[in-house]
Amino acid sequence: MDEQGRPAGVREVAAAAGVSRQTVSRVLNDHPSIRPGTRERVLAAMEALNFRPNRAARMLTTSRSTTIGVLVASPSSLFGPASSIDAIEKAARDAGYFVTVAHAASLDTVAVEAALEQLSAQAVEGIVVVAPQQRIQDAMDAVSLRVPSITLHGAGTAGDHGVFVDQVEGARLATRYLLDRGHVRVAHLSGPGDWSEARARREGFLLEMAAAGADPVVSRDGDWTAASGAEIGAELLADPTITAVFSSNDQMALGAMFAAGRAGRSIPADLAVVGFDDIPEAAFLTPPLTTVRQDFAELGRRCVARLVAEIEGTDLEFDAPVAPALVTRASA
């Protein structure tokens, strides 16, 4: 801040460091001609004055926005998409990039194109698409992007090169845990079939049940909410032989636990419940919820690193997907 309380600018930094404004500009743009001592003096002045470079001015001098766009095509109130966006923003900040977010108003191509136009108007250098629904992925295939992009939908497809969480393995971990604890009749509370994560988790459940020679029970699709978990959970619990439920996410698991209570079933004595995501509230439920944790911070770091590599013309791939982890608590 200057003496009038206004944010410090290049002029104030130059005066404090005893250099010209052109020198400050060269430090900002990492010009190779700046001596190390001069650079350190200018950076110290920036720190002392709490100087923040003007983004618009920097674009004029470098012809770069250093901005990543995020296209969101799912409710950002849901834990998975919200955590993904937070992770992307932090990773981009650490990489020296800004983030701007555009929400698609619906799941059709017109809405996707409108959101992409919004991002293009802000001169983004790359785009991350948080799009777990198949319809959005189909819409993305129908549009032409002028900048590098990565689709972050969590389940992984050919060409993702490790920038996804291994949803199938996470589901197998959860199912195997229930089977190892002696449960024979295990039901899967499914998520919405249009979401790639839900399909991958159902696949993992079926694979692990088949490997154990056990007969799977798969519910109709839920919508990720506790309300749908309670409704579908009540349907599953009408079968007294079902002693364990693996839910496609924690919110629906919470609904299933509610349904168990209404049916007079004690958890975990009469019914074991495992969720997916490890929402912050999972550890504070009664009883605390066993669940599969996704490393959103690592996912965001990989996503941004891969996109920045494409923006800057370098190669970067990851050998394996992000590994999930089973967090065991008292519900199973």
Side-chain angles (χ1 to χ4, degrees), residues 34-116:
I34 300 297
R35 295 192 184 99
T38 302
R39 185 187 308 277
E40 290 176 10
R41 196 162 70 250
V42 171
L43 292 175
M46 291 178 181
E47 181 70 22
L49 294 170
N50 196 28
F51 171 77
R52 295 293 180 267
N54 182 282
R55 185 177 169 197
R58 191 169 184 179
M59 284 181 64
L60 289 173
T61 59
T62 65
S63 299
R64 289 193 59 188
S65 68
T66 58
T67 299
I68 291 173
V70 179
L71 171 63
V72 182
S74 57
S76 55
S77 59
L78 291 175
F79 180 74
S83 298
S84 297
I85 295 168
D86 286 345
I88 291 165
E89 288 181 330
K90 183 181 185 305
R93 193 164 55 245
D94 291 344
Y97 279 74
F98 301 95
V99 168
T100 183
V101 180
H103 292 262
S106 65
L107 302 183
D108 57 40
T109 303
V110 173
V112 170
E113 288 179 339
L116 291 173

Side-chain angles (χ1 to χ4, degrees), residues 6 11 37 40 53 67 73 82 84 98 134 188 213 237 258 313 325 327:
R6 295 171 300 194
R11 183 192 304 273
E40 290 176 10
T67 299
S84 297
F98 301 95
Q134 186 61 49
H188 177 52
L237 297 182
F258 175 80
V327 181

Side-chain angles (χ1 to χ4, degrees), residues 12 18 37 139 164 211 214 250 280-281 325:
E12 288 75 25
F164 64 96
D250 287 349
E281 299 82 4

Side-chain angles (χ1 to χ4, degrees), residues 168-169 171-172 175 179 200-214 216:
V168 172
E169 177 59 21
R172 297 194 72 156
T175 308
L179 292 168
R201 292 168 195 174
R202 181 168 58 246
E203 178 188 350
F205 168 76
L206 292 173
L207 286 171
E208 197 60 34
M209 292 292 284

